[in-house]
Structures are given as structure tokens and as C-alpha cells.
Amino acid sequence: IITKYGYYYPIGAAHGQPSMEDYHIDLKTGKLYSLKDLFKKGVNYKDRLTNIVRSRIAEMSEETGDTMFYDDDIGQINISNNFVIKKDALVIYFQPYEIAPYAVGFPEFSISFDLLDGLIDTQGEFWKAFERSK
């Protein structure tokens, strides 16, 4: 995984705008993977991920009585480079201002692979390229 960080500071702005993108590359083949490559063909993984993130936002709001997020209607998770594969989870993150104020930074949501059971293509190239060590 290669992470690209950026920072744009336009003239007259109160502060700069950071950005971050992750690129998932199979070191053996050089193939660049996207989020859709992690899932089985024909499964509605976008709705599942979106619902999990919405639930997490609602839980945070309920626990604290307040939330830093604009609201729980984040739209649908789009296909982008805003994800990271970890040992036991898929982490979805958002750019500043996308779903929360600048002060929140890059809001991220760790989603256990157990919650995605049946959706992940465990026989696919992407999963095998990043398969966890046993």
C-alpha cells in the first residue's frame, strides 16, 4: 500500500486543504487494485459499507449526545482510493469536509472482515495479494 499525501493552500484561504489517497499494488504483478476488486462480482458491497458507516456515525452521536459529522446521510460509499486493508479489517476514510468539519481530519471507520462475510472474494487476486500471514 502506497499512501499519497497532498496539501493545497490557495491564496487568501484560512487554512490549507490536506488530501490523502492509498494505492494497493500487488508487488509480484504490479497490478493496481480498487475497492471493487476486493468483493465478489454481483454483490452489493457499496450498500453494505455505506450502512455500516451510517450505523457507526449514529452510534457515535448517540454515545456522546453530539456528533462532529454533518449528518448520518453520507450518500453511498464511492469507488475511490479512500480505503486501507489492515490485518483484520477494511478501513474506509473520508477527506476533510467530506462528511465532517475540517477539525475532524480524515474520519475513518474500521470494518471487520467478519461483517463482510460472504461479500469478499477470498479466491480473488486482490485478497490473495494481501492475504494475512498465518
Side-chain angles (χ1 to χ4, degrees):
I1 300 172
I2 295 175
T3 303
K4 178 180 89 173
Y5 297 98
Y7 194 78
Y8 174 65
Y9 201 128
I11 295 175
H15 55 75
Q17 177 67 28
S19 64
M20 180 171 66
E21 293 179 334
D22 286 281
Y23 298 91
H24 301 75
I25 303 168
D26 184 329
L27 294 178
K28 292 178 183 173
T29 66
K31 182 172 180 173
L32 184 65
Y33 294 106
S34 65
L35 187 58
K36 71 178 172 124
D37 297 323
L38 184 62
F39 297 95
K40 294 176 181 175
K41 290 183 181 6
V43 299
N44 195 348
Y45 68 90
K46 289 190 266 181
D47 281 350
R48 180 74 180 131
L49 294 175
T50 300
N51 290 334
I52 291 170
V53 170
R54 283 184 182 144
S55 293
R56 298 271 172 85
I57 290 172
E59 288 169 13
M60 286 186 236
S61 180
E62 192 173 301
E63 287 173 8
T64 63
D66 190 14
T67 182
M68 290 289 291
F69 299 98
Y70 296 138
D71 62 30
D72 64 353
D73 188 13
I74 59 170
Q76 188 180 57
I77 301 287
N78 61 13
I79 309 300
S80 66
N81 295 328
N82 296 347
F83 73 98
V84 177
I85 301 291
K86 300 269 180 150
K87 181 180 178 184
D88 297 318
L90 168 67
V91 177
I92 301 288
Y93 64 87
F94 295 85
Q95 302 296 318
Y97 289 122
E98 197 171 359
I99 65 168
Y102 178 84
V104 174
F106 295 88
E108 64 177 47
F109 302 89
S110 182
I111 302 170
S112 166
F113 290 126
D114 293 340
L115 292 174
L116 302 172
D117 188 39
L119 300 179
I120 294 177
D121 183 2
T122 57
Q123 299 305 309
E125 290 179 29
F126 189 16
W127 182 261
K128 287 182 178 182
F130 289 91
E131 190 171 7
R132 296 342 126 240
S133 300
K134 297 193 184 214

